[in-house]
Amino acid sequence: MSLLSPPTTLAGWREAASRLSFASDILIDGTLRPAVDGQTFATVNPASGDTLAEIAAGSAADVDLAVASARRTFDSGVWSRRPPTERKVVLLRLAELIRAHAPELALLDSLDMGKPVQDALGIDVPGAAAVWQWTAESIDKVYDQIAPTGSGDLAMIRREPLGVVAAVVPWNFPLDLASWKCAPALAAGNSVVLKPAEQSPLSAIRLGQLALEAGLPPGVLNVVPGLGASAGKALGLHPDVDALTFTGSTEVGKLFLSYAGQSNMKQVWLECGGKSPNLIFADCDDLDKAAEMAAFGCFFNQGEVCSANSRLLVEARIKEEFLERLIHHAAHWLPGDPLDPANHAGALVETRHADRVEGFIRRGEQQARLIHGGQRLTIAGSDCYITPTIFDQVTPSHELFREEIFGPVLAVSTFETEGQAIALANDSLFGLAGSLWTGSLKRALRVSERLRVGTVSVNTVDALSPQTPFGGIKQSGHGRDLSLHALEKFTALKTVWIKY
């Protein structure tokens, strides 16, 4: 497959998948190797139930080897003391390799976690390449500082890499989120140990191979697939990991904070759960566009998005009209074979997760009014498909309002006043993102100021780019991915004071 000719049909993608080979071992010191204890785990295509490959299951012993490799390369200076302009060249080359291998990488993520291959090809892979490129181009434009002092003193404030960074990433955007973590950590001069989710290890291993091809020295990026309870925990507890960056559930984020306290007080940067509100005011200029984007904001990627706009808050006097439009647009997100370019939604990542999402739906029927969807489908022998689901009359006491479902389930609530809308939006343990739709600039500024979230999107949903920071507050975590602010997580300030 080449960049210029990715498949355009279901048959073409299936044929490409039949020819695809999988790297399945641990990548340490530039070499693929089995796990120390020889253990493996299966990575399964949720769209069919077929095992794609047996993956080396990293354990604490493998983590020790990977961290030792990262430490050696960091201390050697082969990357950490390499001039920023030279690091930039390598990472820009990696961005181009990602683009050149776009169909392969898209297929790996689609097969691994069930997302539509067209989304992986058109959104995820270009987005990952853009993050590598933007971060690489930024690194030689970040300046140190000189503090104001009296005559005879020179006080320099320098940013230096931390050392060994562990990156633990989720399965919903495997390549993208690995890039969000690794690009700034490597650009700053750190060495990295990357642990992908056990459900989606394939593109991470391939990323490690492409990084070597781009010229990254062996040992600067090590990839250790494995289970969270073994490899993930070992990274959290490791005394020679200087910082750990994580995207995933709030529950696991709290474990990493605990592991840091039990070990070496390593820095821990968390991007955790979300239950993002989407506020629709009656003065919205385009209700149909708002309804279209409300469907996108909840049902894109099968709803498996940490910042999904899964709480819809609608002003009472437009609710019925808006819901009619919303249901019409929900039909666009009916799930099907992820390799069919005509499908906009695919399979949930695994049967266990589909069971969990279905459980929310069945319990929700006892609390609120199901007005659309709610069916679990079996397609090609897999039961990992759930139709776009909309509940009305959801109150703050309902589980549908409070819990992160991580599936295509939308909870609709009603408000009468702007103050009620803000109160409902902020009534959450989470604070990752939020959206609002209004034709009033004053209202947009007023409401966005009061929403307790990390990102507010006005007259759109879930807006982000490499240039803007992404992250949350409250139990959505702390620290920021993307933008120059991401570099701050992976550097330490050092003051050098010289008397002359």
Side-chain angles (χ1 to χ4, degrees):
M1 294 181 291
S2 72
L3 178 65
L4 298 178
S5 57
T8 58
T9 65
L10 173 59
W13 280 111
R14 284 178 173 172
E15 196 274 333
S18 71
R19 294 187 285 110
L20 198 61
S21 60
F22 305 112
S24 58
D25 283 335
I26 297 168
L27 183 65
I28 298 177
D29 244 352
T31 302
L32 288 170
R33 60 180 75 183
V36 169
D37 61 10
Q39 294 297 305
T40 64
F41 64 92
T43 185
V44 176
N45 180 355
S48 65
D50 297 333
T51 295
L52 297 166
E54 289 292 331
I55 305 295
S59 65
D62 301 287
V63 166
D64 284 343
L65 292 173
V67 172
S69 171
R71 178 60 64 191
R72 280 194 306 273
T73 56
F74 180 79
D75 289 345
S76 75
V78 65
W79 182 253
S80 59
R81 292 194 293 276
R82 199 163 174 176
T85 51
E86 295 182 13
R87 296 202 299 267
K88 176 174 73 171
V89 170
V90 173
L91 299 185
L92 286 175
R93 194 178 298 133
L94 176 54
E96 289 308 308
L97 285 171
I98 290 171
R99 292 187 177 103
H101 289 267
E104 174 193 359
L105 293 165
L107 193 50
L108 289 175
D109 278 358
S110 178
L111 293 174
D112 235 358
M113 58 78 54
K115 70 165 62 221
V117 72
Q118 284 300 112
D119 285 352
L121 181 67
I123 300 173
D124 295 16
V125 177
V131 167
W132 285 101
Q133 179 176 335
W134 192 89
T135 307
E137 290 175 340
S138 300
I139 191 59
D140 60 352
K141 302 170 184 67
V142 177
Y143 290 84
D144 293 333
Q145 298 172 321
I146 296 178
T149 60
S151 177
D153 290 296
L154 175 65
M156 297 178 289
I157 303 168
R158 307 185 62 180
R159 280 202 172 273
E160 298 185 348
L162 293 172
V164 176
V165 173
V168 181
V169 298
W171 46 258
N172 57 333
F173 293 94
L175 179 66
D176 249 0
L177 291 176
S179 299
W180 284 23
K181 308 298 187 184
C182 294
L186 292 172
N190 298 284
S191 294
V192 175
V193 179
L194 169 63
K195 194 207 90 66
E198 52 262 38
Q199 296 89 345
S200 58
L202 296 175
S203 63
I205 301 171
R206 191 70 181 107
L207 177 65
Q209 293 178 304
L210 292 176
L212 291 168
E213 186 178 338
L216 197 71
V220 175
L221 175 60
N222 303 281
V223 183
V224 183
L227 305 183
S230 52
K233 182 177 181 179
L235 283 168
L237 289 169
H238 204 289
D240 207 25
V241 169
D242 299 294
L244 185 143
T245 178
F246 168 74
T247 291
S249 71
T250 295
E251 177 185 12
V252 175
K254 291 178 179 180
L255 288 177
F256 280 121
L257 289 174
S258 172
Y259 297 153
Q262 294 173 48
S263 54
N264 62 336
M265 292 178 63
K266 61 177 64 65
Q267 297 180 37
V268 178
W269 301 106
L270 302 174
E271 196 264 277
C272 296
K275 192 71 177 177
S276 299
N278 186 8
L279 288 64
I280 315 296
F281 289 96
D283 62 2
C284 170
D285 290 330
D286 189 343
L287 280 184
D288 195 65
K289 186 64 176 180
E292 177 188 356
M293 294 302 291
F296 168 85
C298 186
F299 304 137
F300 169 70
N301 207 53
Q302 304 73 245
E304 296 166 326
V305 182
C306 55
S307 54
N309 285 219
S310 54
R311 287 188 296 147
L312 182 67
L313 312 179
V314 187
E315 192 164 346
R317 60 193 172 100
I318 61 167
K319 189 184 83 167
E320 295 307 320
E321 177 187 359
F322 190 82
L323 291 184
E324 182 179 341
R325 295 173 184 267
L326 175 65
I327 289 170
H328 168 76
H329 287 292
H332 179 78
W333 299 98
L334 286 173
D337 189 327
L339 296 186
D340 187 342
N343 290 330
H344 302 281
L348 297 183
V349 69
E350 60 185 357
T351 296
R352 181 177 59 176
H353 183 59
D355 290 342
R356 179 179 179 274
V357 173
E358 185 183 27
F360 277 104
I361 295 171
R362 300 287 83 85
R363 292 190 300 274
E365 290 178 303
Q366 310 305 312
Q367 299 178 330
R369 186 167 71 98
L370 178 65
I371 61 173
H372 183 76
Q375 293 85 38
R376 185 170 182 177
L377 306 179
T378 298
I379 300 174
S382 168
D383 64 351
C384 290
Y385 298 87
I386 291 180
T387 61
T389 301
I390 304 172
F391 283 95
D392 190 17
Q393 300 175 2
V394 178
T395 71
S397 64
H398 290 164
E399 181 183 53
L400 295 169
F401 188 94
R402 310 209 70 81
E403 298 292 328
E404 183 179 37
I405 298 173
F406 224 65
V409 181
L410 181 61
V412 181
S413 305
T414 307
F415 64 85
E416 298 280 352
T417 67
E418 183 181 296
Q420 289 175 344
I422 293 168
L424 283 170
N426 288 337
D427 187 7
S428 176
L429 295 175
F430 304 110
L432 187 54
S435 300
L436 68 106
W437 294 77
T438 176
S440 165
L441 178 59
K442 288 182 178 180
R443 169 168 279 159
L445 294 172
R446 194 167 56 235
V447 175
S448 63
E449 185 178 81
R450 294 183 62 191
L451 291 180
R452 296 275 294 149
V453 297
T455 297
V456 178
S457 302
V458 179
N459 295 333
T460 186
V461 298
D462 213 14
L464 58 85
S465 79
Q467 295 93 326
T468 54
F470 181 88
I473 59 174
K474 299 191 279 188
Q475 293 194 37
S476 289
H478 50 260
R480 293 295 182 266
D481 292 314
L482 305 178
S483 81
L484 291 178
H485 296 284
L487 295 170
E488 296 170 4
K489 300 189 304 189
F490 303 119
T491 56
L493 291 175
K494 177 186 283 185
T495 297
V496 178
W497 194 299
I498 301 174
K499 276 213 171 277
Y500 63 91

